């Protein structure tokens, strides 16, 4: 009976030791080396591979090594948004023109408002749009940057002309 207990303790000791060795090797294997260097154009590079011979001979500074466990991640969502700066109260040229249209022809101002709302609805519900080039008359696909600029323009028109 005593012999069986000793064997069980011995087996358990070997198992726990093996587990500790395995965990220690995993912890050291998970640490990655990150190489940083600045190339001849002044661009900073980050890589898990060291720079090639051509990159290292043309770089301005020596290659630095960082280790992933030494890099502290930045906290997410902890920066409070800035308060918007107070706007200059002088009316812009566009605001002056919109005010003149409101005074001269309320029906035209209402039509501009309705057109802007419709255009904004189309711009926000569709992502693949075509636009006609005013100079050449050619119809081209609208880029995402152009679409976002048009959305901002329509929002500004709505702000200026849809006054109740």
């Amino acid at each position: 009976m005593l012999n069986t207990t000793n064997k069980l303790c011995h087996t358990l000791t070997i198992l726990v030791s093996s587990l500790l060795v395995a965990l220690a090797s995993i912890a050291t294997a998970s640490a990655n080396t990150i190489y940083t260097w600045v190339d001849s154009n002044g661009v900073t590079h980050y890589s898990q591979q060291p720079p090639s011979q051509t990159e290292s001979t043309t770089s301005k500074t020596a290659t630095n090594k960082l280790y992933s466990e030494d890099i502290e991640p930045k906290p997410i969502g902890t920066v409070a948004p800035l308060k918007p700066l107070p706007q200059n109260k002088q009316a812009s040229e566009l605001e002056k023109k919109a005010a003149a249209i409101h005074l001269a022809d309320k029906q035209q101002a209402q039509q501009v408002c309705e057109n802007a709302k419709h255009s904004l609805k189309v711009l926000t519900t569709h992502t693949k749009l075509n636009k006609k080039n005013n100079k050449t008359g050619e119809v081209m696909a609208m880029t995402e940057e152009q679409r976002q600029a048009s959305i901002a323009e329509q929002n500004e028109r709505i702000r200026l002309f849809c006054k109740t």
Side-chain angles (χ1 to χ4, degrees), residues 2-152:
L2 187 60
N3 197 12
T4 308
T5 307
N6 284 342
K7 284 183 182 179
L8 184 61
C9 282
H10 182 68
T11 305
L12 194 56
T13 304
I14 291 174
L15 183 64
V16 168
S17 299
S18 300
L19 184 62
L20 288 174
V21 168
L23 287 174
S25 65
I26 290 172
T28 58
S30 67
N32 293 322
T33 304
I34 301 170
Y35 297 91
T36 63
W37 70 96
V38 179
D39 66 12
S40 58
N41 295 329
V43 177
T44 302
H45 296 271
Y46 299 92
S47 176
Q48 291 181 342
Q49 303 297 324
S52 65
Q53 289 296 331
T54 57
E55 290 173 333
S56 63
T57 57
T58 60
S59 65
K60 292 180 181 177
T61 60
T63 303
N64 296 322
K65 283 186 183 180
L66 299 172
Y67 296 96
S68 59
E69 70 267 3
D70 296 334
I71 300 172
E72 183 141 346
K74 298 288 183 191
I76 298 173
T78 59
V79 177
L82 298 175
K83 292 181 181 178
L85 297 174
Q87 297 291 331
N88 192 357
K89 296 299 179 184
Q90 287 184 333
S92 68
E93 284 297 315
L94 191 56
E95 290 173 329
K96 290 177 184 177
K97 288 179 183 178
I101 291 173
H102 270 287
L103 289 175
D105 191 355
K106 291 205 180 285
Q107 188 175 5
Q108 180 186 2
Q110 185 61 32
Q111 187 63 41
V112 171
C113 173
E114 295 301 319
N115 289 343
K117 285 180 180 179
H118 174 73
S119 295
L120 182 63
K121 184 176 181 182
V122 170
L123 287 164
T124 55
T125 57
H126 297 81
T127 55
K128 294 185 179 183
L129 298 168
N130 293 327
K131 187 174 186 177
K132 186 176 181 180
N133 187 331
N134 292 337
K135 294 179 183 176
T136 63
E138 183 181 358
V139 176
M140 299 173 62
M142 183 181 268
T143 65
E144 183 60 22
E145 290 80 17
Q146 290 171 331
R147 188 175 80 88
Q148 292 300 323
S150 293
I151 288 172

